[in-house]
Structure formats: C-alpha cells, structure tokens
Amino acid sequence: MLAYLLRRLLLMVPTLLGVVTLTFIVTQFVPGGPVEQMVTQLRHGAHRGDGGGGGGYHGSQGVDAQQIEQIKKQFGFDKPPLTRYVLMLEHYATFDLGQSYFQHDSVWNVIRARLPVSVSLGFWTIVLTYLVAVPLGIAKAVRNGSRFDTATSVLVLVGYAIPGFVLGVLLLMLFGGGTFFELFPMRGLTSDDFDTLSATGKVLDYVWHMVLPVCASVVGNFAIVTILTKNTFLEEIGRQYVLTARAKGAPERDVLWKHVLRNAAIPLLTGLPAAFVGAFLNGNLLIETLFSLNGMGQLSYDAAIRRDYPVVLGSLFLFTLIALVTKLIADVCYVLVDPRIQFDSVDR
C-alpha cells in the first residue's frame, strides 16, 4: 500500500504541471488581456471626462507608451512568457497562488471568501443525493418491475430532464415570494442580521436560506445514482453467493445489507469522486447567479471574463490537486471495501 500511495503521489506532479502549463499557454493567446482591458478603461474614462484617463491619455494619440509599460509592469507582463511561467511554478511549489489583478487581494483570500458558499451547496447536494438515491435504488432493485419501480423511474427521470436553473426559477416563483408563497428567502447564504442571532437562530437561518438552492441542485442528481444503485444491486442479487445465502436460510435483510451492499458499494464509491469534485469544488454558476450566491462558480466566471489570470490559474491548480487527492482516497476506499482487489489492479 505504501509503495502504491507513493507512486500515485509522484504521478500527481506531472498531472498538475500539465494542467497548469496548458492553461498558461492558452492564456497567452486569449485576446483582451488585463493590459488591454486597463488601457480600454483609461480611454473610456478620458472620453467620459471623469478623470479616468489620468495623465497618460493624450486624446487621439491614446495612452502613451510609458503608461502602457507601467501597466505591463503592474501585471508582470514586462517579463517574457517563459520567465513568468517559471516564476509562477516557483510560487506554486510553495503554495503561493499570487495576487489577483483586480480584487487587490491574494488569490488564497479570494478563494477562501467564496468557498463557504460552494462548500455548503456542494456538501448538502452530495449528502442528500446519496441519502435519498441509494436507499431508493435498493428499493427499486428489490421491487424490480413493480408499479413502485416504474413510478419512481418516471419521477427521477423527469427530475433529471429538468435543468437545475429552470427548477430554481420555478421554486422561487412558488416559494420565494415570486408569485405565490413567500416561505424562503430569494437570495444570499444568510440574513443581514445573522451576526446578532443566537447559535440556534444562526443554524435555522442558514438552513432556511439553503433549502431552495440545494433542492434546485440536488434533484437532477437523483437519477444517475438511483439507476446506478439499482442496476448494481440487480447484478449482485443474481450472483451465486446470494443464492447460496438464501438457500442456507439467511434472512433477506441480512442478505441485502451484509452481503449484497458490500459488493454493490464499489461502483458507488468509484463514482463519488467525480460527483464530489463537480458539486463541491466547481460550483454551479447558474444556481449561484439565480440565488445571488457568491461562490466558486461565480468567481471562476468573473475571473475568466476579466482575464484575472492569477485567480484562473491558482484556483485551477488548487482544485486539480484536490481532485487528484480525492481520487486517490476513493481508490483506497475501493480496496478497503473489497479486500480481494489488490492495489496493483487499481493503479492507473
């Protein structure tokens, strides 16, 4: 196990390097970089007469070369691309993600300020998805072909077909004071008076704000986990060891929960990292925008639009690292669930 873990940790280095390098190269060819945006702002400010052009704007001559060089130096573009790339790798080696171009703060602080929203949304999405979908998938497998199986299949597939953003709009109209009932708040993670509330009041206020965005995020995930659980259980129920356990008189409950579940949990565990990364790290831009939640989805979008390259590259580096570690943990759990699997067989 130790050799396997060491090998996987070493393989993370070229993976991280490849992701960061490819993204850095792409940013060198994307038009409208931070220097161009700053120059455009100076020109527009001067045309509006609000003083935004500063002393470096000279009418039809535009921004003078000296001011442009100062802007390039401000953003670090006075150095060749290779030099900037090497400096970036040196900083990343010490987990220094740099400074945001436009938010006047370190990338670490910018990410930390947005993480609570995405953590909350992603955590409850994963928890509720597995708490509901796994038991439902087991019940469908046990009652395969029944009316219950058919009805629940229709429900989860309808939920899967409805985009989360559309469901969010519908929930706001019904329960957010949009058209019918005003039972839940329309925006934010907490109320304005959150700091003045008691401990119990803070918990209730937080849950009150999370109900609608979590419901909009979680419904579409039910179908995948439910159908996966059902199919896995059906496959395991038909195996010889299940027939043998039943022939020996083992209670059906023990057969399902002590024997079948242990083997059926393997594909669920292997799918957990992808679900974790998707819901926990990436954020949901549309849901965050709809419910006015400043999470990682909104941060990533704003950074890409504004060409805030340190935020783009830093968040990508951090989340790629977390995704790789999560995948490694899932592989370890994979082996712990089924001791028959050796680490060499799960090595990628």
Side-chain angles (χ1 to χ4, degrees):
M1 180 184 297
L2 184 59
Y4 170 79
L5 294 176
L6 180 59
R7 186 163 59 251
R8 287 294 298 272
L9 290 173
L10 291 176
L11 286 174
M12 291 182 186
V13 176
T15 303
L16 281 171
L17 186 62
V19 170
V20 172
T21 301
L22 180 61
T23 308
F24 181 84
I25 293 174
V26 170
T27 59
Q28 305 308 303
F29 299 97
V30 176
V35 175
E36 290 82 357
Q37 291 195 21
M38 182 62 71
V39 171
T40 301
Q41 291 178 12
L42 289 173
R43 290 171 177 169
H44 288 174
H47 286 308
R48 290 194 305 265
D50 59 4
Y57 185 78
H58 300 285
S60 61
Q61 297 179 7
V63 182
D64 61 36
Q66 182 179 0
Q67 179 115 356
I68 292 178
E69 289 301 321
Q70 291 177 354
I71 296 173
K72 288 183 177 180
K73 186 175 181 180
Q74 175 185 346
F75 293 123
F77 282 87
D78 56 327
K79 303 179 181 65
L82 182 59
T83 302
R84 288 188 280 114
Y85 173 72
V86 173
L87 290 174
M88 180 189 68
L89 292 183
E90 291 178 354
H91 290 158
Y92 283 3
T94 59
F95 290 93
D96 178 7
L97 302 183
Q99 296 285 322
S100 170
Y101 286 157
F102 302 105
Q103 302 195 45
H104 308 293
D105 203 349
S106 68
V107 175
W108 275 112
N109 290 337
V110 171
I111 293 176
R112 277 199 294 264
R114 302 294 188 96
L115 268 181
V117 173
S118 295
V119 166
S120 298
L121 195 58
F123 175 78
W124 291 116
T125 297
I126 291 297
V127 169
L128 292 179
T129 296
Y130 276 79
L131 284 180
V132 174
V134 171
L136 179 60
I138 295 174
K140 287 171 63 64
V142 174
R143 300 171 177 81
N144 184 40
S146 65
R147 292 182 178 178
F148 171 82
D149 181 34
T150 303
T152 52
S153 294
V154 172
L155 288 177
V156 297
L157 290 177
V158 168
Y160 180 74
I162 300 177
F165 182 78
V166 175
L167 180 60
V169 173
L170 180 62
L171 291 174
L172 284 176
M173 290 177 57
L174 292 176
F175 306 112
T179 304
F180 297 96
F181 307 102
E182 190 173 355
L183 302 179
F184 300 98
M186 297 183 64
R187 59 178 60 87
L189 189 62
T190 57
S191 300
D192 294 335
D193 60 345
F194 181 79
D195 293 334
T196 64
L197 299 175
S198 64
T200 302
K202 290 181 178 180
V203 172
L204 294 177
D205 183 76
Y206 167 76
V207 173
W208 185 46
H209 281 78
M210 290 302 299
V211 169
L212 294 187
V214 168
C215 287
S217 300
V218 78
V219 171
N221 296 324
F222 284 153
I224 298 176
V225 180
T226 300
I227 300 303
L228 175 62
T229 303
K230 175 191 173 182
N231 293 339
T232 305
F233 259 77
L234 284 177
E235 182 180 353
E236 292 297 326
I237 288 174
R239 294 188 181 276
Q240 184 63 42
Y241 74 89
V242 176
L243 300 177
T244 302
R246 287 173 173 171
K248 290 181 178 181
E252 186 67 17
R253 184 180 183 88
D254 291 345
V255 171
L256 290 176
W257 296 102
K258 292 184 178 180
H259 299 286
V260 177
L261 180 61
R262 184 179 182 87
N263 294 304
I266 295 176
L268 297 177
L269 283 176
T270 58
L272 184 59
F276 174 85
V277 173
F280 193 76
L281 298 180
N282 296 338
N284 191 322
L285 174 61
L286 295 179
I287 297 297
E288 290 177 6
T289 301
L290 179 63
F291 292 95
S292 300
L293 301 173
N294 291 322
M296 291 306 304
Q298 189 68 49
L299 174 64
S300 300
Y301 175 78
D302 291 341
I305 293 298
R306 300 188 66 183
R307 304 296 191 268
D308 198 344
Y309 295 146
V311 175
V312 173
L313 290 165
S315 58
L316 182 64
F317 169 82
L318 178 62
F319 293 158
T320 302
L321 178 61
I322 295 177
L324 292 172
V325 173
T326 304
K327 185 65 174 67
L328 177 59
I329 294 174
D331 283 346
V332 174
C333 294
Y334 189 100
V335 175
L336 294 177
V337 170
D338 190 350
R340 296 171 299 175
I341 300 175
Q342 302 298 319
F343 275 99
D344 289 340
S345 65
V346 296
D347 197 2
R348 300 293 187 264

